[in-house]
Amino acid sequence: MKSYKYKRGVTLVEILVVVAIIALLASIVIGLSTRINNQSKERCLECTCALLECALQEYCEYTGKFPEQPEKNFTNVLVHSEYLYKELHLIPESRKILEKIADSLVKNEYGAADTPAEIYDPWGTVLDYRYVAGDNFPELVSAGPDKIFGTADDISNR
Ligand SMILES: [Ca+2]
């Protein structure tokens, strides 16, 4: 007479192996979707920077210079972004290009309603604008996926 006592059901080790495989597959899927999401955001950022560069070229043709940022310490990103928006908004051709940027990236989250809007990157961080006299072309800097400036994933138009 055969005993089926140990053939029925699954062992704890088998359950752990299945759980580990499911966890591994889930982490691969999450990793891939995060990467694809970041790649699409990077492309969105490239398009935004290209539009801002066109708007800056128009500004330069109209005024003979690029907007110079009011501070030179590169720390007050919010002020830089609002300043860029305000300056580009003053020049009709630049304003037309500025209006082509997605509404989700141009918001007035800081200051009163009548203050200039800020320009954001696709990760939701304010885009930094850097230009001091003598530079060849203004620099637009995104804090990147980690939303922190000065780290390796920062993205610049230069
Ligand atoms: Ca960063």
Side-chain angles (χ1 to χ4, degrees):
M1 192 166 138
K2 288 185 179 175
S3 169
Y4 293 100
K5 190 177 174 187
Y6 298 106
K7 297 219 173 183
R8 267 186 267 146
V10 288
T11 64
L12 183 62
V13 173
E14 287 168 333
I15 291 171
L16 288 176
V17 167
V18 169
V19 167
I21 290 170
I22 291 170
L24 182 70
L25 289 174
S27 69
I28 290 170
V29 168
I30 289 168
L32 274 176
S33 70
T34 303
R35 224 172 90 193
I36 290 167
N37 190 19
N38 276 336
Q39 282 174 347
S40 71
K41 283 180 176 174
E42 279 173 28
R43 266 191 282 285
C44 176
L45 178 67
E46 281 173 25
C47 292
T48 306
C49 283
L51 285 170
L52 286 171
E53 285 172 4
C54 287
L56 283 163
Q57 298 274 17
E58 290 293 341
Y59 182 97
C60 188
E61 277 180 33
Y62 194 89
T63 64
K65 62 185 175 82
F66 291 112
E68 223 176 297
Q69 65 179 16
E71 298 176 332
K72 295 185 180 180
N73 61 10
F74 301 139
T75 53
N76 203 341
V77 177
L78 212 64
V79 172
H80 298 170
S81 190
E82 287 181 340
Y83 175 72
L84 174 65
Y85 178 86
K86 187 191 83 183
E87 288 297 309
L88 293 179
H89 212 258
L90 291 173
I91 310 302
E93 291 303 316
S94 298
R95 191 184 321 133
K96 276 185 208 164
I97 299 169
L98 201 58
E99 285 164 0
K100 290 178 182 167
I101 295 174
D103 289 344
S104 61
L105 301 180
V106 181
K107 297 176 281 186
N108 190 8
E109 302 266 297
Y110 297 93
D114 59 343
T115 58
E118 309 91 40
I119 302 165
Y120 290 80
D121 68 12
W123 292 275
T125 311
V126 175
L127 202 61
D128 194 11
Y129 171 74
R130 301 172 181 180
Y131 181 78
V132 286
D135 288 352
N136 287 334
F137 195 79
E139 185 178 19
L140 299 158
V141 184
S142 159
D146 72 356
K147 303 180 178 189
I148 299 166
F149 282 99
T151 56
D153 71 345
D154 289 9
I155 302 166
S156 166
N157 66 328
R158 282 190 186 160

